[in-house]
Amino acid sequence: MRWRDRYGLRRLRGPKIAKFDREANDADIEALIAFAKSRRGVEFYVEPETFATDTTAVAVADDGEWTRRRVGSPAVIGKVARSLALPVYDVQLTGYPPRMRAYNERRKREEA
């Protein structure tokens, strides 16, 4: 991990760290940024921290392709989304988009 706090992971996360999960790092955030820059219509969905896992964000593209990464806190992904001019939703309020489920179903059919 770099000595600089480029994405605000340490500053914005607060004192709480999930017990059984590793902390989010710059590579997690950079993976979300790379995903968002390489696909169309990306939206971020923030998943809350639990006892076992850190706060995560799911990036969902226009075609339903998605990736999940640790982000440390909702403020971190909010900062990233603002810099990319992309929307951020709380998954507890909005749920996952239907295109994500459709993508998963297409992948299952292709694998069978």
Side-chain angles (χ1 to χ4, degrees):
M1 189 175 295
R2 296 184 179 113
W3 63 273
R4 286 183 16 211
D5 193 12
R6 181 188 312 187
Y7 301 107
L9 292 171
R10 288 173 288 290
R11 182 174 47 85
L12 296 173
R13 90 169 341 295
K16 269 181 28 179
I17 298 174
K19 301 270 187 218
F20 298 114
D21 202 9
R22 70 169 174 81
E23 288 186 51
N25 58 38
D26 288 352
D28 293 321
I29 305 303
E30 289 164 1
L32 288 171
I33 291 170
F35 182 89
K37 287 183 175 181
S38 65
R39 288 155 182 88
R40 292 179 341 113
V42 174
E43 299 172 332
F44 292 112
Y45 291 84
V46 178
E47 299 171 322
E49 179 177 355
T50 66
F51 179 74
T53 61
D54 203 356
T55 303
T56 56
V58 178
V60 183
D62 193 34
D63 66 349
E65 184 180 4
W66 60 275
T67 187
R68 175 181 287 119
R69 296 287 189 272
R70 293 168 183 86
V71 293
S73 80
V76 172
I77 194 62
K79 178 182 173 184
V80 169
R82 278 190 305 277
S83 72
L84 297 172
L86 297 174
V88 179
Y89 302 105
D90 184 337
V91 78
Q92 291 182 310
L93 300 176
T94 64
Y96 296 102
R99 67 182 182 276
M100 185 176 162
R101 289 185 188 87
Y103 177 81
N104 290 340
E105 290 300 318
R106 282 193 309 271
R107 286 193 53 209
K108 282 182 187 178
R109 281 192 305 258
E110 291 171 3
E111 290 176 4

